[in-house]
């Protein structure tokens, strides 16, 4: 990563990337929501990821500090597996702004990892997203200013549908450049889970 100044900023987040099987399975959740398709802006399957911390526009130097924080948090956490299941929406299925797939098994491990990451970022004085961590996989956002579609019925029908499992083995720091149709994501650093415990015994 090139050194920059405080004037150089990058839109940045830290996440777990998903395998092709999970991305394909999650994208199939569109099917039951076709009646609301014109009111939803879907995330491209290639862009689906599990965000642990959205940092917004930060300086290049802060990106480097965030990369170090991701490596520290990952190194002290053993790899684990999460299960994706169920459909939900923020702030509610009746008036959604964000449509998501939930995390069931492994959610507590993921929350602990997000907590370790937040602590490491605070140590480096990087401003954090003030919203509490809620593990989810964003599928779509509502578009336009009108009344959003009511997805209550679909949410109830899909509440227990299991999408699949995903091993969590690394955190990635991603720079995101907004484009006309979709953002361009570039992984700029990786922290591998469990590296801090290797060789300790």
């Amino acid at each position: 990563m090139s050194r920059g100044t405080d004037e150089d900023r990058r839109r940045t987040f830290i996440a777990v990337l998903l395998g092709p099987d999970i991305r394909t399975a999650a994208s199939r959740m569109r099917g039951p929501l076709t009646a609301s398709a014109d009111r939803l802006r879907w995330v491209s399957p290639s862009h689906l990821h599990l965000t642990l911390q959205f940092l917004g526009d930060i300086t290049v130097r802060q990106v480097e500090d965030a990369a170090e924080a991701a490596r520290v948090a990952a190194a002290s956490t053993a790899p684990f597996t999460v299960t994706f299941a169920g459909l939900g929406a923020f702030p509610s299925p009746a008036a959604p702004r964000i449509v998501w797939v939930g995390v069931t098994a492994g959610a507590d491990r993921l929350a602990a990892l997000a907590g370790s990451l937040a602590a490491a970022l605070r140590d480096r004085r990087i401003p954090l997203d003030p919203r509490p961590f809620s593990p989810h996989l964003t599928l779509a956002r509502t578009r336009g200013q009108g009344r959003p579609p009511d997805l209550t019925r679909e949410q109830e029908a899909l509440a227990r549908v299991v999408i699949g499992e995903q091993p969590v083995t690394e955190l990635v720091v991603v720079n995101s450049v907004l484009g006309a149709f979709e953002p361009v994501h570039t992984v700029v650093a990786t922290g591998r889970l469990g590296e801090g415990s290797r060789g300790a015994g």
Side-chain angles (χ1 to χ4, degrees):
M1 191 185 308
S2 63
R3 301 291 298 183
T5 70
D6 285 346
E7 287 72 35
D8 299 326
R9 291 183 173 272
R10 304 285 188 272
R11 186 172 184 266
T12 302
F13 62 87
I14 300 175
V16 174
L17 299 184
L18 304 179
D21 291 345
I22 285 293
R23 285 189 271 117
T24 299
S27 296
R28 289 185 182 134
M29 297 292 272
R30 290 186 183 198
L33 302 176
T34 51
S36 304
D38 62 335
R39 301 300 313 281
L40 298 175
R41 179 165 49 86
W42 295 92
V43 176
S44 168
S46 64
H47 282 64
L48 291 173
H49 59 268
L50 194 54
T51 301
L52 268 71
Q53 188 65 233
F54 179 74
L55 300 174
D57 292 328
I58 60 176
T59 68
V60 172
R61 290 173 181 169
Q62 287 176 316
V63 174
E64 294 172 353
D65 288 342
E68 182 183 354
R71 285 191 285 268
V72 168
S76 61
T77 302
F80 58 96
T81 298
V82 294
T83 300
F84 292 100
L87 187 81
F90 295 136
S92 73
R97 288 190 294 108
I98 294 175
V99 181
W100 47 259
V101 167
V103 177
T104 54
D108 54 343
R109 302 283 305 275
L110 198 63
L113 177 57
S116 297
L117 175 62
L121 290 165
R122 284 192 200 96
D123 287 345
R124 290 157 181 80
R125 301 180 184 279
I126 297 176
L128 303 182
D129 186 338
R131 295 171 293 186
F133 177 69
S134 178
H136 67 278
L137 173 59
T138 298
L139 283 182
R141 297 175 175 83
T142 51
R143 66 169 83 231
Q145 300 297 319
R147 183 181 177 82
D150 186 342
L151 301 179
T152 301
R153 183 175 300 178
E154 290 86 345
Q155 188 273 332
E156 292 174 351
L158 299 171
R160 292 179 175 79
V161 172
V162 176
I163 307 302
E165 295 182 342
Q166 165 79 36
V168 178
T169 60
E170 63 182 24
L171 292 180
V172 294
V173 180
V174 180
N175 285 166
S176 175
V177 178
L178 299 178
F181 299 101
E182 62 180 18
V184 176
H185 290 169
T186 303
V187 174
V188 297
T190 300
R192 301 191 187 287
L193 268 64
E195 286 198 333
S197 61
R198 291 175 186 170

